[in-house]
Structures are given as structure tokens and as C-alpha cells.
């Protein structure tokens, strides 16, 4: 296929998916020609409909740029070039912002549908790479857990790694981080992602300016990020509850939650205040109640403890301000709460250990807040955290348990794809190269099941779900046993003192 035909097909695909209109075709084509260092255009017949995906068509033009030495065959060069091409299809931020809120007046779902599709078709959301992820659900005693083996983020090639090492002396600090609003339209550089095709939507949450975008590597349907205008550290406080509920007021078809604001129990980015949400029902959303309880100072609040591996208080009310007041009260009391019999200390010297992972939803006229109690204390026995995945499950996951995992979606490392394949061979008595850290687990599985070619994958998936459940149980501050339930009751009694 010639470069002219590739460009023409990409432009036509942009029209098909409503990125642009027919009237825009010449302009967009000329912009792409300039990026490809082409000064003429040879019209070639385009067959309709165009069966290739937009990322596939884009890859052909990127390959042309490599072949013609316009860019080098290095990850960042390719990302920057591809984002610059797709930016040719996008309107200015103000136009997209106005269209979003115009559609919002019709219905909140229409505005997010529009922006989500735009983010996909512009290749900001990496749909082709995301499709590589392995995803399945598995039954546990807490409900259907989601398991994802993350294969979407490409590995860096040697030249990319070499470049990044050479760039370490680069003192550029713009943008401050990958979540700052300053990323909108930023071309990118070695070691920093391309964002030419990135757009964000301005929101007002609790009298403060925030922005809505989608995750480039979505882990679930309409996985969005809501970020503060100011580059400031993550913080969970009363204002957090105000903002979360303000957001679900605006978009009642979405949930919104915040990672905890302390290391170990927080997410991967604590340097920029942000939340994550979307239109997805997690296992935790559907979790049953272990028991309900009353809060003496807040008789109109429905409060319950969830049957969930982590320690979750669910609050429901049709009175928004009262819900914020009770959530703020629980957060403040939890921050200062210690129970040595449950291994919970609020402080080591002046270092705080207690915080909360909050999640907000709106169901009809009722607001709902889930408060997940977290503690990040470490010991010699558990140097990565007492309430963190313990060493015996590190062969599956040792990273922080952030908001997404808290709600029941495992994001597991790419290495497991090959490692589980070798374990499958081991279970079927075939030649294998099973990792030593999986050996004990694999032997236990072999003892517990009658394994065949037909059921081996189902068994591995089920057992992986049980391991993830253990990961979450390790992160729970009040364990799902009798002593843990008694300790949770002591904290509830403390709330009513």
C-alpha cells in the first residue's frame, strides 16, 4: 500500500468514526502530508468500507516515517509521531469542551459517551494494546473477582533504554507530572509520554477547578481520571468527600473513588491529587453486608460493614451534607485510632499510618460512600507493610493495593502470562520451566485436583482468583475471622463514644 493510500484511508476512517467531517478531509490530509515530509499527493482509489482499524492504519504511516528516516525506530519517536498525526483530527480543547457540555444538557451519559469515543478514536486510549490484556472473572467467597494480566504497555527497546539513561541529566520539569493539566497537547520527549492528541474536560467540584480525562490504558469500561488543576500531593480529607459526591451528582452513571494518600497503601502516583472512576460494577459494589450498625450522632445514616476481604464501612443517605459529615468524622477518628491487639498503630513517633480509600456512587436519590480503612505500618517481619500482600503471595503480586484492586479487579504483572503457561505444562506432566517461586503453589494445585487438558486452564484461573483474594485479605486491617470482627466492633464502638 502506498503512503498516499494509507493517508487517504486514515482520513476516510476518521470521517467514518466521526472524528472529522467530509469538509475537513483536505485540511487533515495536508497536515499529515507535512508530518510525512511530502509536498504532493497522488489520489488513489479508496475502497469502502475501510476494514482496517484506526491503529492499524496509523501504524502503516508510522512505519513509512521510519523507512524514510523521518523518525528513528525507537518507542518514544513512534509514539510522538503517531500522536502528532492523530492531533490533526482533533479540535481545539475549547471546542471539545463546549461540545461535551452541550451534550451534557441532553443527558450526562451523552457527554461521556461522546468524550470516551473521541478518546478511543483519537488513539489516546490505546485500544489495540489494551486488547492484548488477558481478562477473566473467577468465583471467590466474596463474589466474582476480575483478573487482568496487564500486557498492554509495550516493553522498552534497547535504544529507548539507552536514550533514557543519556537523558537523566536533563533537568526538564515540565509538565510537573503525567497527570498535570499541562499535558494537554504536549508533544512528549524521551522518557516522557506523547500527549499531542490528549484533551481534558474542565469541571467544577466543590468550588474548585478540576479536569476529566480517560486513562490511556483503561482497565475497565470508561475508566476515567479526575485531576486537580494544581500540582499538589494526594490528600484524603473532608474536601475529598465533597468532591467525590459532587462528581457523582454531575455524572450519576459513574462511580468515583480516591486512592489512599499514604505510601504502600496509596496508588502509583501520590504527587498529584486525583481520583479514578467510570461506568463499571466491581465485585465490591455488589458485596453483601456482614452486619449493619447505628451511629448515635447520625441517626439518618445507614451504615454497614461489608463482607469483603478489606475492611469496608458502607454509608448511605439521601442527605448529602450529613453523609459528608459522618465520613469526615470516621476519617478523623480512624486517623488517630490504635488497637495493638489488632496490630493497628495510628502513629510511629509523628509518622501517620491510618488513612482511607473512599468510593462514591449515586443510586437514585441516595448517595453511597464506601470507606476502606487502610494502615501502612511496616515491621521487620513485614518490611513492605503489615497490611500489604505478604511474602507468600509475592509470586503473584507484591505491588501496592490501590483503588482498582481494592474494589476487586486484579491488575497482575505481564510476566505471569509465560509463567502460568509453564505451570500449565507442569500440571499436565509435560516438559516445563516453572519458576521456583511458583513451585509450592503448583504442587498444592496438583494435589487438590484431577487435572486434564480440558480443565487445566479453568483450574489455574480459579486458583489465581483465590490467590488474589488472599492478597486482598492481607491488606484488610480487620481480618475476616472472629478476632477481626471483634476488633472491627471495637472501632465501631469508638465511633459512637
Amino acid at each position: 500500500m502506498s503512503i498516499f493510500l494509507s493517508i487517504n484511508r486514515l482520513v476516510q476512517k476518521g470521517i467514518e468514526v466521526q472524528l472529522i467531517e467530509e469538509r475537513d478531509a483536505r485540511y487533515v490530509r495536508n497536515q499529515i502530508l507535512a508530518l510525512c515530509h511530502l509536498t504532493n499527493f497522488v489520489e488513489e482509489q479508496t475502497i469502502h468500507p475501510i476494514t482496517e482499524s484506526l491503529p492499524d492504519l496509523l501504524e502503516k504511516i508510522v512505519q513509512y516515517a521510519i523507512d524514510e528516516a523521518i523518525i528513528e525506530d525507537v518507542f518514544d519517536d513512534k509514539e510522538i509521531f503517531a500522536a502528532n498525526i492523530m492531533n490533526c483530527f482533533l479540535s481545539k480543547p475549547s471546542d471539545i469542551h463546549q461540545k461535551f457540555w452541550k451534550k451534557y444538557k441532553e443527558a450526562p451519559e451523552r457527554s461521556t459517551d461522546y468524550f470516551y469515543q473521541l478518546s478511543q478514536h483519537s488513539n489516546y486510549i490505546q485500544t489495540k494494546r489494551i486488547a492484548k490484556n488477558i481478562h477473566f472473572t473467577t468465583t471467590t467467597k466474596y463474589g466474582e473477582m476480575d483478573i487482568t494480566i496487564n500486557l498492554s504497555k509495550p516493553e522498552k527497546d534497547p535504544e529507548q533504554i539507552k536514550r533514557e539513561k543519556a537523558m537523566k541529566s536533563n533537568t526538564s520539569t515540565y509538565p510537573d507530572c503525567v497527570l498535570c493539566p499541562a499535558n494537554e497537547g504536549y508533544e512528549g520527549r524521551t522518557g516522557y509520554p506523547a500527549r499531542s492528541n490528549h484533551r481534558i474536560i474542565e469541571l467544577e467540584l466543590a468550588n474548585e477547578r478540576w479536569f476529566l480525562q480517560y486513562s490511556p490504558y483503561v482497565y475497565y469500561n470508561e475508566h476515567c481520571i479526575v485531576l486537580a488543576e494544581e500540582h499538589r500531593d494526594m490528600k484524603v480529607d473532608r474536601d475529598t468527600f465533597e468532591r467525590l459526591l459532587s462528581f457523582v451528582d454531575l455524572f450519576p452513571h459513574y462511580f468515583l473513588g480516591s486512592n489512599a494518600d499514604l505510601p504502600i497503601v496509596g496508588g502509583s502516583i501520590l504527587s498529584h491529587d486525583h481520583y479514578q472512576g467510570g461506568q463499571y460494577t466491581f465485585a465490591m459494589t455488589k458485596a453483601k453486608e456482614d452486619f449493619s450498625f447505628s451511629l448515635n450522632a447520625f441517626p439518618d445514616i445507614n451504615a454497614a460493614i461489608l463482607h469483603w476481604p478489606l475492611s469496608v464501612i458502607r454509608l448511605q443517605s439521601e442527605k448529602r451534607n450529613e453523609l459528608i459529615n459522618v465520613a469526615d468524622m470516621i476519617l478523623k477518628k480512624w486517623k488517630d485510632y490504635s488497637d495493638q491487639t489488632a496490630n493497628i498503630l495510628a502513629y510511629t513517633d509523628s509518622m501517620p499510618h491510618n488513612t482511607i480509600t473512599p468510593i462514591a456512587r449515586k443510586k437514585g436519590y441516595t448517595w453511597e460512600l464506601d470507606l476502606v480503612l487502610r494502615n501502612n505500618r511496616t515491621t521487620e517481619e513485614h518490611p513492605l507493610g503489615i497490611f500489604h500482600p505478604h511474602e507468600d503471595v509475592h509470586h503473584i503480586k507484591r505491588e501496592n493495593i490501590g483503588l482498582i484492586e481494592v474494589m476487586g479487579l486484579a491488575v497482575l504483572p505481564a510476566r505471569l502470562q509465560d509463567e502460568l503457561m509453564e505451570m500449565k505444562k507442569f500440571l499436565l506432566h509435560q516438559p516445563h520451566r516453572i519458576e521456583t517461586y511458583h513451585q509450592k503453589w503448583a504442587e498444592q494445585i496438583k494435589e487438590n485436583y484431577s487435572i486434564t487438558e480440558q480443565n487445566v486452564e479453568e483450574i489455574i484461573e480459579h486458583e489465581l482468583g483465590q490467590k488474589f483474594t488472599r492478597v486482598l485479605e492481607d491488606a484488610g486491617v480487620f481480618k475476616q475471622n472472629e478476632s477481626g470482627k471483634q476488633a472491627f466492633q471495637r472501632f465501631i464502638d469508638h465511633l459512637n463514644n
Side-chain angles (χ1 to χ4, degrees), residues 2-21:
S2 78
I3 182 59
F4 302 115
L5 185 56
S6 294
I7 292 172
N8 215 35
R9 290 172 75 81
L10 182 66
V11 171
Q12 291 302 314
K13 192 70 176 181
I15 295 169
E16 281 185 17
V17 299
Q18 299 180 341
L19 269 177
I20 59 172
E21 298 178 11

Side-chain angles (χ1 to χ4, degrees), residues 322-377:
E322 191 162 355
L323 190 63
I324 293 167
N325 289 337
V326 69
D328 186 43
M329 180 273 289
I330 292 172
L331 173 64
K332 287 175 178 174
K333 290 206 170 189
W334 172 245
K335 280 186 172 183
D336 292 329
Y337 185 75
S338 294
D339 182 344
Q340 292 198 15
T341 62
N343 243 338
I344 297 167
L345 295 180
Y347 299 94
T348 299
D349 297 326
S350 60
M351 181 183 294
H353 294 306
N354 289 348
T355 187
I356 278 175
T357 300
I359 301 105
R361 307 175 197 91
K362 193 171 186 184
K363 298 178 176 179
Y365 296 104
T366 300
W367 286 275
E368 182 174 275
L369 271 175
D370 285 347
L371 306 181
V372 188
L373 307 180
R374 313 297 301 275
N375 177 288
N376 77 343
R377 191 164 72 92

Side-chain angles (χ1 to χ4, degrees), residues 469-485:
T469 300
R470 260 290 321 283
V471 164
L472 295 187
E473 287 176 335
D474 285 348
V477 293
F478 298 119
K479 303 305 179 185
Q480 285 286 334
N481 54 34
E482 194 55 38
S483 61
K485 291 179 180 179

Side-chain angles (χ1 to χ4, degrees), residues 179-441:
L179 288 181
C180 283
N183 285 278
E184 187 176 37
Y186 184 67
E187 185 176 52
R189 60 181 186 267
T190 296
Y192 197 94
R195 291 290 182 260
S196 297
N197 57 337
H198 178 39
R199 300 292 185 269
I200 55 180
I201 301 296
E202 184 180 330
L203 309 171
E204 184 179 301
L205 300 179
N207 299 314
E208 190 176 48
R209 186 152 67 168
W210 284 62
F211 296 90
L212 168 70
Q213 68 177 64
Y214 290 101
S215 170
Y217 293 96
V218 294
Y219 290 124
Y220 52 85
N221 187 49
E222 298 180 49
H223 177 184
C224 68
I225 300 172
V226 178
L227 49 104
E229 180 178 32
E230 179 188 359
H231 179 70
R232 65 188 186 216
D233 289 346
M234 288 284 295
K235 187 177 182 181
V236 177
D237 57 13
R238 181 188 178 88
D239 289 341
T240 305
F241 307 131
E242 287 265 13
R243 296 187 199 109
L244 295 181
L245 293 180
S246 293
F247 182 88
V248 297
D249 276 345
L250 281 170
F251 305 103
H253 57 297
Y254 275 13
F255 78 90
L256 192 68
S258 173
N259 271 307
D261 54 353
L262 293 178
I264 297 175
V265 294
S268 57
I269 300 177
L270 296 179
S271 61
H272 195 107
D273 208 2
H274 72 283
Y275 312 130
Q276 295 181 78
Q279 190 168 21
Y280 191 73
T281 303
F282 290 87
M284 194 180 85
T285 311
K286 298 181 285 187
K288 297 177 181 177
E289 295 181 4
D290 260 347
F291 61 90
S292 58
F293 63 95
S294 298
L295 290 162
N296 297 341
F298 301 93
D300 295 328
I301 296 289
N302 295 323
I305 303 303
L306 296 190
H307 181 66
W308 192 246
L310 288 101
S311 307
V312 187
I313 297 173
R314 176 164 290 172
L315 305 172
Q316 294 174 322
S317 179
E318 293 186 4
K319 297 181 178 180
R320 185 174 177 274
N321 288 340
E322 191 162 355
L323 190 63
I324 293 167
N325 289 337
V326 69
D328 186 43
M329 180 273 289
I330 292 172
L331 173 64
K332 287 175 178 174
K333 290 206 170 189
W334 172 245
K335 280 186 172 183
D336 292 329
Y337 185 75
S338 294
D339 182 344
Q340 292 198 15
T341 62
N343 243 338
I344 297 167
L345 295 180
Y347 299 94
T348 299
D349 297 326
S350 60
M351 181 183 294
H353 294 306
N354 289 348
T355 187
I356 278 175
T357 300
I359 301 105
R361 307 175 197 91
K362 193 171 186 184
K363 298 178 176 179
Y365 296 104
T366 300
W367 286 275
E368 182 174 275
L369 271 175
D370 285 347
L371 306 181
V372 188
L373 307 180
R374 313 297 301 275
N375 177 288
N376 77 343
R377 191 164 72 92
T378 62
T379 62
E380 287 186 13
E381 183 184 2
H382 299 294
L384 297 181
I386 301 171
F387 305 105
H388 179 84
H390 290 175
E391 191 173 357
D392 62 323
V393 293
H394 284 177
H395 64 111
I396 295 300
K397 187 172 179 70
R398 61 178 288 155
E399 297 83 8
N400 292 8
I401 301 305
L403 174 68
I404 295 171
E405 281 101 355
V406 161
M407 294 185 290
L409 193 160
V411 181
L412 302 180
R415 62 176 171 82
L416 285 177
Q417 181 185 34
D418 293 335
E419 291 176 7
L420 294 179
M421 184 61 68
E422 293 303 316
M423 195 166 91
K424 176 182 173 181
K425 294 175 185 176
F426 169 84
L427 295 174
L428 293 172
H429 305 281
Q430 297 172 355
H432 61 83
R433 292 181 296 174
I434 190 169
E435 296 288 348
T436 54
Y437 46 73
H438 290 316
Q439 187 76 40
K440 183 178 179 181
W441 180 43

